[in-house]
Amino acid sequence: MLDVHRLRVFRSVVASGSVQAAAANLGYTPSAISQHLTALQRETGLTLLARAGRGLRPTAAGHALAAEAERVLARLGAAESLIADLRAGRTGALSIAYFASVGAAWMPLVVRRILAEHPGVRLDLQLRENIPDSREERADVQVVVARSGFDPGSGFTAHHLLDDPYVAVLPAGHRLAGRAEADLIDLADEGWVDNDFARGWCRENLIEACTAAGFSPAFRVEAHDYPTALAFVAAGIGPTVLPALGAAQLPPGVSCVRLVRPTPIRSIHAVVHDAVAHAPAVRTAVATLREAATLVDPAR
C-alpha cells in the first residue's frame, strides 16, 4: 500500500527539481524529504529519481508515477472536499417520503427551507402512504401516519409531529353548517363521500370511531383522494370526514366543523434513518416539519 504523504513529497520534488526546493515548499528539512524518497523507492521497488547536476530528474518510471500521483492526489482532494461539504450540509442527497395531504400542506415549506439552507443537496421526494418492509427501500426521512408509540423498526427513530383531529366538511346549506362542533353521531344518517380509496389506517381509524359512536357510515360515492372528495362536497353530493390537515384548503361554499364524542385523531410522525440523523439537511427537514405542524389549526 502506497503512502499518500510520500506521494505528495515525491510530486513536490519532481515539480521543483530538487530536494532542497521541495523541502522549502513543504516546510520540511532536506533530510526528511530524502528519507521519504528512499522509503517510496523501497516500497515500489523502482528507481524513481536520478541525479542531474545538483538536482534530480525523474526516471521513466518516476515520470509515470508522478503523473499518476497527480491524478490520485486530485481525486483525494476532491474526496476530502466532498466530506467537508457533507459535514456542512452543502451537498449530497436526501430522500424524503410523505403522504398526499402532507405533500400539499407541509412539503413546499420543507423543500424551500432545505434548498435555501443547503443549496447543494439533491432532494429525492417520494409520495408514499406506507413504510416499506425492506430497509433498503426506506427513505432517509418519511412522514407517516401511525398510532402513538409505534415501533419504526431497528435503525430508525420516530419523532412525533402532530395529533391531527378529524373534521366534517359540509356542503353549503347543510343543517350542521355554522356550528363550532358536532357530535359524530349527528352524521349517522347522512350519505357520506368516501375519501380513502386505499382503505388505509386513516380510514380504519375513522370507522373505529364511528363504531364507538354506535353506527357505520353510509358512503354514497367514492373519491380517490381528499381534493376530489372536497370537490364532491362542494357539488352538494354530501359531507366527508377527514383529518384537519386534509381540509387545509377548502373550496368555496363548504364549511368545516369539529367532531366530538368521539373525536377521531391520527398521529403524524417523522421517521428518520439513524445513520443520517445528524446530517445538517436531515436536521433542517425535521425542524421544518415540526414548524409546519405548529401552523395547523385543528379548529379550522
Side-chain angles (χ1 to χ4, degrees), residues 31-232:
S31 174
I33 296 293
S34 296
Q35 290 175 14
H36 281 302
L37 294 176
T38 299
L40 180 62
Q41 293 187 111
R42 184 173 61 252
E43 289 174 349
T44 61
L46 298 170
T47 300
L48 301 174
L49 296 164
R51 289 286 178 187
R54 294 185 177 181
L56 295 171
R57 61 173 177 81
T59 63
H63 275 298
L65 182 59
E68 185 61 27
E70 187 74 28
R71 291 188 287 270
V72 168
L73 294 172
R75 289 195 295 269
L76 182 61
E80 290 172 341
S81 295
L82 174 63
I83 290 170
D85 285 344
L86 288 170
R87 286 176 175 167
R90 290 189 293 267
T91 190
L94 171 63
S95 58
I96 304 178
Y98 56 91
F99 54 92
S101 53
V102 159
W106 294 356
M107 291 310 297
L109 174 63
V110 173
V111 170
R112 184 179 64 188
R113 183 73 53 78
I114 292 173
L115 294 182
E117 297 185 8
H118 314 283
V121 169
R122 179 177 59 81
L123 285 177
D124 175 14
L125 303 178
Q126 307 164 11
L127 182 62
R128 180 177 290 167
E129 296 291 330
N130 300 309
I131 299 177
D133 294 331
S134 170
R135 291 170 55 90
E136 289 71 24
E137 296 179 10
R138 295 177 66 167
D140 298 324
V141 179
Q142 182 169 358
V143 185
V144 301
V145 173
R147 299 182 187 275
S148 297
F150 86 106
D151 182 4
S154 176
F156 295 84
T157 300
H159 302 267
H160 178 263
L161 299 175
L162 177 70
D163 287 328
D164 192 17
Y166 287 52
V167 296
V169 181
L170 309 171
H174 191 278
R175 59 187 174 83
L176 300 177
R179 290 192 186 181
E181 62 183 35
D183 289 357
L184 187 57
I185 193 66
D186 290 339
L187 297 171
D189 297 328
E190 301 275 351
W192 291 23
V193 175
D194 194 359
N195 54 54
D196 192 345
F197 173 75
R199 302 293 188 269
W201 189 87
C202 290
R203 190 176 191 274
E204 293 176 10
N205 189 32
L206 173 60
I207 297 300
E208 288 178 4
C210 292
T211 300
F215 74 100
S216 295
F219 294 107
R220 174 180 295 176
V221 65
E222 180 179 78
H224 288 193
D225 53 43
Y226 292 163
T228 305
L230 294 175
F232 285 172

Side-chain angles (χ1 to χ4, degrees), residues 286-299:
V286 174
T288 309
L289 285 168
R290 290 190 185 280
E291 177 184 334
T294 65
L295 302 178
V296 175
D297 178 10

Side-chain angles (χ1 to χ4, degrees), residues 238-260:
T240 194
V241 176
L242 73 171
L245 189 60
Q249 297 180 350
L250 295 177
V254 306
S255 58
C256 188
V257 178
R258 291 195 307 265
L259 290 173
V260 295

